[in-house]
Amino acid sequence: MKNAIPWLTAATLCFGCNGQKLDLIKATDFTAEVDGKKIGLYTLSAGNLTMQVTNYGARIVSLWVPDRNGRYRDVVLGYEHIDRYLHNTGERFLGSVVGRYANRIAGGRFCLDGNEYTLPQNNNGQTLHGGVKGLDGVVWDVVSVSTHKLELSYVAADGAEGFPANLSIDMTYTLTPQNEFVITYKANTDAPTVVNLSHHSFFNLKGEGRGSVLDHILTIHASHTTPVDSVLIPTGEIASVVGTPFDFRKPRAIGEHIGDDNEQLRLGAGYDHNWVLDRTSNEIEPAATLWEPVSGRFVEVLTDQPGIQFYSGNFFPKNGVKGKYGRPLNYRESLALETQKFPDSPNHPHFPSTVLRPGETYTHTCIYRFGVQ
């Protein structure tokens, strides 16, 4: 049902399991219209999680998670009003879906079936996250909404941002009794194209605006990365993490080696790289775990994709714009864990293919499973 009315179940959703009142954003602050399509704010709840989502860019606006003592905090970055997203002066991709092609495409060009396609160069001469107006900058159609699930759809038109084919996308956000935030993507095309979708919430398990993430403990189930050049495009190499600051196969504080004298860290201004996951099947498997020792909150990331981009918030300013609670969104005070196929895959034939043809279905599942320890 397009333009559905947001769920308003304040009696159950404004309070956490210990009776703590949650500072939920008012649905009326997200009432707007763009390109003739209505924007809304939708509140979902299941298990110990409460999440607010807008269909503008399919953005997660807030995500409330308890600590080991049952105290809730909002662990994703966002804004308190739709106008701040529509006229954003800070980080573009707060909580959004990214695509049609998540991550970077070199020089904004790729060839497919002998045809060359040219895309907008919106990041140091490269195409980042779908171009100037990617899937983060459109109003998604609301197919259905319940207390714990939101189904969205969008058709990316042939030629939009230079990409070929009409791409029909169905995306579902679900909260489960097991404290999981589950994202599923499906896409079909009417002509050959490339597709690589991902999710771009910025997490701080202490809560939005509450300090550095360098003391968060990270595990990534990957023995290799795809090293990058000076504009963060993969060189094509698949490099071992052994003996490098990129070895997170055992739990390690993010800040332990982020300042090492390492060329890849210099190029990324810290961590902003794709890890090649150590997969044993094509099924959903653990990819990474993030733990914040003081609160005890952790999130486990699971996926059926071959890669994960870990970005340590290096390009936020040191005195950033304020988030939804009036605290600045600062340098290295949040991070992203984006499940994906590899950056610039259309220009690297030995990378997992991102080509989608008529009659095929693109699928992708990403799960963020929260808990305490």
Side-chain angles (χ1 to χ4, degrees), residues 211-233:
S212 175
V213 294
L214 297 185
D215 53 357
H216 284 45
I217 308 300
L218 178 64
T219 306
I220 303 178
H221 304 297
S223 302
H224 295 82
T225 63
T226 51
V228 296
D229 63 17
S230 62
V231 289
L232 301 182
I233 293 295

Side-chain angles (χ1 to χ4, degrees), residues 82-101:
I82 187 59
D83 286 349
R84 297 195 63 199
Y85 289 104
L86 296 176
H87 308 288
N88 190 10
T89 59
E91 164 64 41
R92 171 179 162 184
F93 301 105
L94 295 182
S96 68
V97 61
V98 287
R100 294 189 189 192
Y101 199 97

Side-chain angles (χ1 to χ4, degrees), residues 142-202:
V142 176
V143 178
S144 68
V145 60
S146 71
T147 55
H148 68 282
K149 181 185 291 187
L150 178 65
E151 296 182 64
L152 302 166
S153 68
Y154 185 75
V155 178
D158 181 23
E161 298 299 297
F163 288 95
N166 295 297
L167 184 72
S168 300
I169 308 167
D170 296 306
M171 182 169 60
T172 301
Y173 290 167
T174 306
L175 297 184
T176 76
Q178 292 74 40
N179 299 315
E180 297 170 328
F181 166 32
V182 181
I183 308 169
T184 60
Y185 310 85
K186 290 185 179 180
N188 297 99
T189 183
D190 62 359
T193 191
V194 296
V195 59
N196 184 32
L197 307 178
S198 193
H199 180 72
H200 211 299
S201 277
F202 283 92

Side-chain angles (χ1 to χ4, degrees), residues 214-294:
L214 297 185
D215 53 357
H216 284 45
I217 308 300
L218 178 64
T219 306
I220 303 178
H221 304 297
S223 302
H224 295 82
T225 63
T226 51
V228 296
D229 63 17
S230 62
V231 289
L232 301 182
I233 293 295
T235 63
E237 180 186 4
I238 305 291
S240 172
V241 300
V242 174
T244 78
F246 294 82
D247 191 351
F248 285 94
R249 291 174 298 170
K250 294 182 179 180
R252 172 186 286 177
I254 291 168
E256 183 176 345
H257 291 288
I258 200 169
D260 284 9
D261 183 12
N262 176 275
E263 181 184 25
Q264 285 295 303
L265 289 175
R266 287 194 296 273
L267 292 171
Y271 296 109
D272 191 7
H273 298 76
N274 172 64
W275 271 254
V276 179
L277 294 172
D278 293 336
R279 300 190 54 80
T280 61
S281 72
N282 292 323
E283 304 302 316
I284 297 168
E285 296 181 348
T289 302
L290 183 71
W291 176 53
E292 200 284 297
V294 176

